Amino acid sequence: MSVTQGPVRVVKPRDLADWPVFARLARFFWGCAALLTAVAVGFFFLASAVESADSEGWRSPWPIVRTPVTQVAVAAVVLGGLYFAPGFRRLARTTRLALLGPLVCAVPVFVVLWACAAGA
C-alpha cells in the first residue's frame, strides 16, 4: 500500500537574520576596510617614491608592489569563495557582508605588517 505525498514544494531559502543592525555593521566594517586600503596604498606609493628617488635612475615600483598585490588577490579569491559558499549563501546579503567585514579589514593591515616585517 503506497501513500501519495502530494506535489513537491520547492522553497527558496529564507533570508536568515536580515536585521537592520547588520546593514549598519556592514557599512561600518566596509568603510573601515576602504579607509585602511587607502592608507595601505598611500604607504606603498610613498615607499616606492622614496626608493625610486633614492636610486640613481628611475626604477620600476613593481618589485615593491608585487607581493602586496598577490596577497590582496589571494584574499579576494578566498573571501569571494566564502561569500558564495552554500552554507554562507543561505544568509541574507547584509548579514554576509557584515560577517565578512572584519576579515576584509584585516587584509590591508596584514599586507602592511607583512611588508614592514619583510623590509626590516
Side-chain angles (χ1 to χ4, degrees), residues 16-42:
L16 300 175
D18 194 14
W19 297 334
V21 69
F22 287 118
R24 288 187 207 111
L25 280 173
R27 274 189 234 118
F28 172 74
F29 284 132
W30 285 85
C32 288
L35 181 64
L36 289 170
T37 302
V39 168
V41 167

PDB file of all heavy atoms in Angstrom, residues 16-42:
ATOM      1  N   LEU A  16      17.920  34.634   6.374  1.00  0.00           N
ATOM      2  CA  LEU A  16      18.164  34.435   7.790  1.00  0.00           C
ATOM      3  C   LEU A  16      18.861  35.658   8.368  1.00  0.00           C
ATOM      4  O   LEU A  16      19.856  36.128   7.840  1.00  0.00           O
ATOM      5  CB  LEU A  16      19.032  33.197   8.012  1.00  0.00           C
ATOM      6  CG  LEU A  16      18.442  31.894   7.501  1.00  0.00           C
ATOM      7  CD1 LEU A  16      19.449  30.780   7.664  1.00  0.00           C
ATOM      8  CD2 LEU A  16      17.171  31.566   8.263  1.00  0.00           C
ATOM      9  N   ALA A  17      18.328  36.178   9.437  1.00  0.00           N
ATOM     10  CA  ALA A  17      18.931  37.277  10.196  1.00  0.00           C
ATOM     11  C   ALA A  17      19.120  38.528   9.346  1.00  0.00           C
ATOM     12  O   ALA A  17      20.184  39.115   9.333  1.00  0.00           O
ATOM     13  CB  ALA A  17      20.250  36.841  10.812  1.00  0.00           C
ATOM     14  N   ASP A  18      18.116  38.953   8.633  1.00  0.00           N
ATOM     15  CA  ASP A  18      18.196  40.192   7.868  1.00  0.00           C
ATOM     16  C   ASP A  18      17.682  41.333   8.746  1.00  0.00           C
ATOM     17  O   ASP A  18      16.591  41.835   8.554  1.00  0.00           O
ATOM     18  CB  ASP A  18      17.386  40.071   6.577  1.00  0.00           C
ATOM     19  CG  ASP A  18      17.718  41.189   5.614  1.00  0.00           C
ATOM     20  OD1 ASP A  18      18.731  41.874   5.831  1.00  0.00           O
ATOM     21  OD2 ASP A  18      16.968  41.373   4.650  1.00  0.00           O
ATOM     22  N   TRP A  19      18.488  41.713   9.700  1.00  0.00           N
ATOM     23  CA  TRP A  19      18.105  42.756  10.644  1.00  0.00           C
ATOM     24  C   TRP A  19      18.813  44.055  10.282  1.00  0.00           C
ATOM     25  O   TRP A  19      19.890  44.057   9.683  1.00  0.00           O
ATOM     26  CB  TRP A  19      18.489  42.349  12.055  1.00  0.00           C
ATOM     27  CG  TRP A  19      17.790  41.122  12.542  1.00  0.00           C
ATOM     28  CD1 TRP A  19      16.579  40.647  12.143  1.00  0.00           C
ATOM     29  CD2 TRP A  19      18.273  40.204  13.511  1.00  0.00           C
ATOM     30  NE1 TRP A  19      16.275  39.497  12.807  1.00  0.00           N
ATOM     31  CE2 TRP A  19      17.287  39.197  13.660  1.00  0.00           C
ATOM     32  CE3 TRP A  19      19.420  40.128  14.274  1.00  0.00           C
ATOM     33  CZ2 TRP A  19      17.441  38.144  14.542  1.00  0.00           C
ATOM     34  CZ3 TRP A  19      19.564  39.083  15.154  1.00  0.00           C
ATOM     35  CH2 TRP A  19      18.582  38.111  15.283  1.00  0.00           C
ATOM     36  N   PRO A  20      18.250  45.202  10.663  1.00  0.00           N
ATOM     37  CA  PRO A  20      18.873  46.493  10.323  1.00  0.00           C
ATOM     38  C   PRO A  20      20.267  46.680  10.929  1.00  0.00           C
ATOM     39  O   PRO A  20      21.099  47.380  10.354  1.00  0.00           O
ATOM     40  CB  PRO A  20      17.909  47.524  10.897  1.00  0.00           C
ATOM     41  CG  PRO A  20      16.619  46.820  11.048  1.00  0.00           C
ATOM     42  CD  PRO A  20      16.944  45.378  11.277  1.00  0.00           C
ATOM     43  N   VAL A  21      20.533  46.038  12.058  1.00  0.00           N
ATOM     44  CA  VAL A  21      21.852  46.196  12.674  1.00  0.00           C
ATOM     45  C   VAL A  21      22.948  45.639  11.773  1.00  0.00           C
ATOM     46  O   VAL A  21      24.069  46.158  11.748  1.00  0.00           O
ATOM     47  CB  VAL A  21      21.884  45.539  14.077  1.00  0.00           C
ATOM     48  CG1 VAL A  21      21.810  44.033  13.983  1.00  0.00           C
ATOM     49  CG2 VAL A  21      23.121  45.964  14.837  1.00  0.00           C
ATOM     50  N   PHE A  22      22.639  44.615  10.987  1.00  0.00           N
ATOM     51  CA  PHE A  22      23.652  44.047  10.104  1.00  0.00           C
ATOM     52  C   PHE A  22      23.985  45.003   8.965  1.00  0.00           C
ATOM     53  O   PHE A  22      25.130  45.033   8.502  1.00  0.00           O
ATOM     54  CB  PHE A  22      23.207  42.693   9.569  1.00  0.00           C
ATOM     55  CG  PHE A  22      23.253  41.614  10.602  1.00  0.00           C
ATOM     56  CD1 PHE A  22      22.109  40.957  10.990  1.00  0.00           C
ATOM     57  CD2 PHE A  22      24.455  41.268  11.199  1.00  0.00           C
ATOM     58  CE1 PHE A  22      22.153  39.972  11.954  1.00  0.00           C
ATOM     59  CE2 PHE A  22      24.509  40.280  12.160  1.00  0.00           C
ATOM     60  CZ  PHE A  22      23.355  39.625  12.538  1.00  0.00           C
ATOM     61  N   ALA A  23      23.034  45.778   8.524  1.00  0.00           N
ATOM     62  CA  ALA A  23      23.322  46.776   7.488  1.00  0.00           C
ATOM     63  C   ALA A  23      24.273  47.839   8.033  1.00  0.00           C
ATOM     64  O   ALA A  23      25.219  48.257   7.351  1.00  0.00           O
ATOM     65  CB  ALA A  23      22.037  47.409   6.989  1.00  0.00           C
ATOM     66  N   ARG A  24      24.049  48.263   9.264  1.00  0.00           N
ATOM     67  CA  ARG A  24      24.945  49.255   9.877  1.00  0.00           C
ATOM     68  C   ARG A  24      26.339  48.680  10.097  1.00  0.00           C
ATOM     69  O   ARG A  24      27.347  49.344   9.857  1.00  0.00           O
ATOM     70  CB  ARG A  24      24.361  49.738  11.200  1.00  0.00           C
ATOM     71  CG  ARG A  24      23.165  50.618  11.023  1.00  0.00           C
ATOM     72  CD  ARG A  24      22.721  51.228  12.348  1.00  0.00           C
ATOM     73  NE  ARG A  24      21.305  51.505  12.253  1.00  0.00           N
ATOM     74  CZ  ARG A  24      20.363  50.868  12.916  1.00  0.00           C
ATOM     75  NH1 ARG A  24      20.674  49.930  13.764  1.00  0.00           N
ATOM     76  NH2 ARG A  24      19.095  51.179  12.748  1.00  0.00           N
ATOM     77  N   LEU A  25      26.390  47.437  10.582  1.00  0.00           N
ATOM     78  CA  LEU A  25      27.690  46.796  10.776  1.00  0.00           C
ATOM     79  C   LEU A  25      28.433  46.623   9.461  1.00  0.00           C
ATOM     80  O   LEU A  25      29.649  46.830   9.394  1.00  0.00           O
ATOM     81  CB  LEU A  25      27.508  45.433  11.443  1.00  0.00           C
ATOM     82  CG  LEU A  25      27.300  45.426  12.946  1.00  0.00           C
ATOM     83  CD1 LEU A  25      26.969  44.026  13.420  1.00  0.00           C
ATOM     84  CD2 LEU A  25      28.523  45.951  13.654  1.00  0.00           C
ATOM     85  N   ALA A  26      27.719  46.233   8.418  1.00  0.00           N
ATOM     86  CA  ALA A  26      28.355  46.058   7.108  1.00  0.00           C
ATOM     87  C   ALA A  26      28.920  47.385   6.618  1.00  0.00           C
ATOM     88  O   ALA A  26      30.056  47.440   6.129  1.00  0.00           O
ATOM     89  CB  ALA A  26      27.352  45.493   6.108  1.00  0.00           C
ATOM     90  N   ARG A  27      28.143  48.465   6.744  1.00  0.00           N
ATOM     91  CA  ARG A  27      28.639  49.785   6.323  1.00  0.00           C
ATOM     92  C   ARG A  27      29.867  50.189   7.122  1.00  0.00           C
ATOM     93  O   ARG A  27      30.840  50.720   6.570  1.00  0.00           O
ATOM     94  CB  ARG A  27      27.549  50.840   6.488  1.00  0.00           C
ATOM     95  CG  ARG A  27      26.651  50.909   5.302  1.00  0.00           C
ATOM     96  CD  ARG A  27      25.718  52.111   5.391  1.00  0.00           C
ATOM     97  NE  ARG A  27      24.374  51.600   5.242  1.00  0.00           N
ATOM     98  CZ  ARG A  27      23.415  51.676   6.138  1.00  0.00           C
ATOM     99  NH1 ARG A  27      23.616  52.292   7.274  1.00  0.00           N
ATOM    100  NH2 ARG A  27      22.236  51.152   5.907  1.00  0.00           N
ATOM    101  N   PHE A  28      29.845  49.957   8.434  1.00  0.00           N
ATOM    102  CA  PHE A  28      30.976  50.322   9.291  1.00  0.00           C
ATOM    103  C   PHE A  28      32.236  49.550   8.896  1.00  0.00           C
ATOM    104  O   PHE A  28      33.302  50.131   8.694  1.00  0.00           O
ATOM    105  CB  PHE A  28      30.624  50.055  10.761  1.00  0.00           C
ATOM    106  CG  PHE A  28      31.790  50.229  11.687  1.00  0.00           C
ATOM    107  CD1 PHE A  28      32.258  51.490  11.996  1.00  0.00           C
ATOM    108  CD2 PHE A  28      32.417  49.127  12.243  1.00  0.00           C
ATOM    109  CE1 PHE A  28      33.342  51.654  12.842  1.00  0.00           C
ATOM    110  CE2 PHE A  28      33.492  49.278  13.083  1.00  0.00           C
ATOM    111  CZ  PHE A  28      33.964  50.541  13.388  1.00  0.00           C
ATOM    112  N   PHE A  29      32.118  48.226   8.807  1.00  0.00           N
ATOM    113  CA  PHE A  29      33.293  47.410   8.515  1.00  0.00           C
ATOM    114  C   PHE A  29      33.841  47.670   7.114  1.00  0.00           C
ATOM    115  O   PHE A  29      35.058  47.759   6.921  1.00  0.00           O
ATOM    116  CB  PHE A  29      32.979  45.923   8.670  1.00  0.00           C
ATOM    117  CG  PHE A  29      32.894  45.483  10.102  1.00  0.00           C
ATOM    118  CD1 PHE A  29      31.829  44.713  10.533  1.00  0.00           C
ATOM    119  CD2 PHE A  29      33.864  45.818  11.015  1.00  0.00           C
ATOM    120  CE1 PHE A  29      31.741  44.294  11.843  1.00  0.00           C
ATOM    121  CE2 PHE A  29      33.791  45.414  12.341  1.00  0.00           C
ATOM    122  CZ  PHE A  29      32.723  44.643  12.747  1.00  0.00           C
ATOM    123  N   TRP A  30      32.965  47.804   6.118  1.00  0.00           N
ATOM    124  CA  TRP A  30      33.450  48.033   4.763  1.00  0.00           C
ATOM    125  C   TRP A  30      33.988  49.451   4.604  1.00  0.00           C
ATOM    126  O   TRP A  30      34.880  49.688   3.805  1.00  0.00           O
ATOM    127  CB  TRP A  30      32.365  47.717   3.742  1.00  0.00           C
ATOM    128  CG  TRP A  30      32.210  46.234   3.598  1.00  0.00           C
ATOM    129  CD1 TRP A  30      31.452  45.417   4.367  1.00  0.00           C
ATOM    130  CD2 TRP A  30      32.870  45.395   2.669  1.00  0.00           C
ATOM    131  NE1 TRP A  30      31.590  44.118   3.961  1.00  0.00           N
ATOM    132  CE2 TRP A  30      32.445  44.072   2.919  1.00  0.00           C
ATOM    133  CE3 TRP A  30      33.774  45.622   1.639  1.00  0.00           C
ATOM    134  CZ2 TRP A  30      32.911  42.997   2.177  1.00  0.00           C
ATOM    135  CZ3 TRP A  30      34.220  44.540   0.899  1.00  0.00           C
ATOM    136  CH2 TRP A  30      33.788  43.249   1.175  1.00  0.00           C
ATOM    137  N   GLY A  31      33.463  50.410   5.371  1.00  0.00           N
ATOM    138  CA  GLY A  31      34.051  51.751   5.382  1.00  0.00           C
ATOM    139  C   GLY A  31      35.442  51.745   5.989  1.00  0.00           C
ATOM    140  O   GLY A  31      36.367  52.387   5.480  1.00  0.00           O
ATOM    141  N   CYS A  32      35.602  50.991   7.080  1.00  0.00           N
ATOM    142  CA  CYS A  32      36.931  50.849   7.684  1.00  0.00           C
ATOM    143  C   CYS A  32      37.882  50.154   6.723  1.00  0.00           C
ATOM    144  O   CYS A  32      39.055  50.525   6.628  1.00  0.00           O
ATOM    145  CB  CYS A  32      36.840  50.054   8.987  1.00  0.00           C
ATOM    146  SG  CYS A  32      36.081  50.954  10.338  1.00  0.00           S
ATOM    147  N   ALA A  33      37.380  49.149   6.005  1.00  0.00           N
ATOM    148  CA  ALA A  33      38.227  48.446   5.036  1.00  0.00           C
ATOM    149  C   ALA A  33      38.669  49.392   3.920  1.00  0.00           C
ATOM    150  O   ALA A  33      39.829  49.349   3.493  1.00  0.00           O
ATOM    151  CB  ALA A  33      37.483  47.249   4.460  1.00  0.00           C
ATOM    152  N   ALA A  34      37.769  50.245   3.461  1.00  0.00           N
ATOM    153  CA  ALA A  34      38.129  51.209   2.412  1.00  0.00           C
ATOM    154  C   ALA A  34      39.174  52.198   2.928  1.00  0.00           C
ATOM    155  O   ALA A  34      40.138  52.529   2.220  1.00  0.00           O
ATOM    156  CB  ALA A  34      36.886  51.948   1.927  1.00  0.00           C
ATOM    157  N   LEU A  35      39.007  52.676   4.156  1.00  0.00           N
ATOM    158  CA  LEU A  35      39.973  53.605   4.745  1.00  0.00           C
ATOM    159  C   LEU A  35      41.332  52.940   4.924  1.00  0.00           C
ATOM    160  O   LEU A  35      42.376  53.521   4.581  1.00  0.00           O
ATOM    161  CB  LEU A  35      39.444  54.119   6.083  1.00  0.00           C
ATOM    162  CG  LEU A  35      40.318  55.117   6.820  1.00  0.00           C
ATOM    163  CD1 LEU A  35      40.438  56.397   5.989  1.00  0.00           C
ATOM    164  CD2 LEU A  35      39.739  55.412   8.181  1.00  0.00           C
ATOM    165  N   LEU A  36      41.355  51.718   5.443  1.00  0.00           N
ATOM    166  CA  LEU A  36      42.614  51.004   5.631  1.00  0.00           C
ATOM    167  C   LEU A  36      43.288  50.695   4.295  1.00  0.00           C
ATOM    168  O   LEU A  36      44.516  50.746   4.189  1.00  0.00           O
ATOM    169  CB  LEU A  36      42.376  49.716   6.417  1.00  0.00           C
ATOM    170  CG  LEU A  36      42.035  49.889   7.895  1.00  0.00           C
ATOM    171  CD1 LEU A  36      41.585  48.571   8.487  1.00  0.00           C
ATOM    172  CD2 LEU A  36      43.225  50.445   8.652  1.00  0.00           C
ATOM    173  N   THR A  37      42.499  50.388   3.286  1.00  0.00           N
ATOM    174  CA  THR A  37      43.068  50.128   1.964  1.00  0.00           C
ATOM    175  C   THR A  37      43.683  51.398   1.385  1.00  0.00           C
ATOM    176  O   THR A  37      44.759  51.357   0.779  1.00  0.00           O
ATOM    177  CB  THR A  37      41.995  49.575   1.022  1.00  0.00           C
ATOM    178  OG1 THR A  37      41.458  48.379   1.601  1.00  0.00           O
ATOM    179  CG2 THR A  37      42.560  49.267  -0.343  1.00  0.00           C
ATOM    180  N   ALA A  38      43.020  52.534   1.584  1.00  0.00           N
ATOM    181  CA  ALA A  38      43.578  53.806   1.108  1.00  0.00           C
ATOM    182  C   ALA A  38      44.895  54.127   1.818  1.00  0.00           C
ATOM    183  O   ALA A  38      45.852  54.590   1.185  1.00  0.00           O
ATOM    184  CB  ALA A  38      42.567  54.932   1.309  1.00  0.00           C
ATOM    185  N   VAL A  39      44.954  53.852   3.107  1.00  0.00           N
ATOM    186  CA  VAL A  39      46.195  54.078   3.860  1.00  0.00           C
ATOM    187  C   VAL A  39      47.296  53.145   3.365  1.00  0.00           C
ATOM    188  O   VAL A  39      48.454  53.556   3.210  1.00  0.00           O
ATOM    189  CB  VAL A  39      45.941  53.902   5.373  1.00  0.00           C
ATOM    190  CG1 VAL A  39      47.234  53.848   6.147  1.00  0.00           C
ATOM    191  CG2 VAL A  39      45.057  55.028   5.880  1.00  0.00           C
ATOM    192  N   ALA A  40      46.950  51.875   3.105  1.00  0.00           N
ATOM    193  CA  ALA A  40      47.949  50.914   2.617  1.00  0.00           C
ATOM    194  C   ALA A  40      48.467  51.311   1.236  1.00  0.00           C
ATOM    195  O   ALA A  40      49.667  51.231   0.971  1.00  0.00           O
ATOM    196  CB  ALA A  40      47.353  49.509   2.579  1.00  0.00           C
ATOM    197  N   VAL A  41      47.568  51.754   0.355  1.00  0.00           N
ATOM    198  CA  VAL A  41      48.003  52.197  -0.982  1.00  0.00           C
ATOM    199  C   VAL A  41      48.910  53.417  -0.854  1.00  0.00           C
ATOM    200  O   VAL A  41      49.940  53.517  -1.535  1.00  0.00           O
ATOM    201  CB  VAL A  41      46.777  52.491  -1.872  1.00  0.00           C
ATOM    202  CG1 VAL A  41      47.171  53.237  -3.126  1.00  0.00           C
ATOM    203  CG2 VAL A  41      46.068  51.198  -2.232  1.00  0.00           C
ATOM    204  N   GLY A  42      48.565  54.341   0.027  1.00  0.00           N
ATOM    205  CA  GLY A  42      49.423  55.500   0.258  1.00  0.00           C
ATOM    206  C   GLY A  42      50.791  55.110   0.807  1.00  0.00           C
ATOM    207  O   GLY A  42      51.820  55.670   0.410  1.00  0.00           O
TER     208      GLY A  42
END
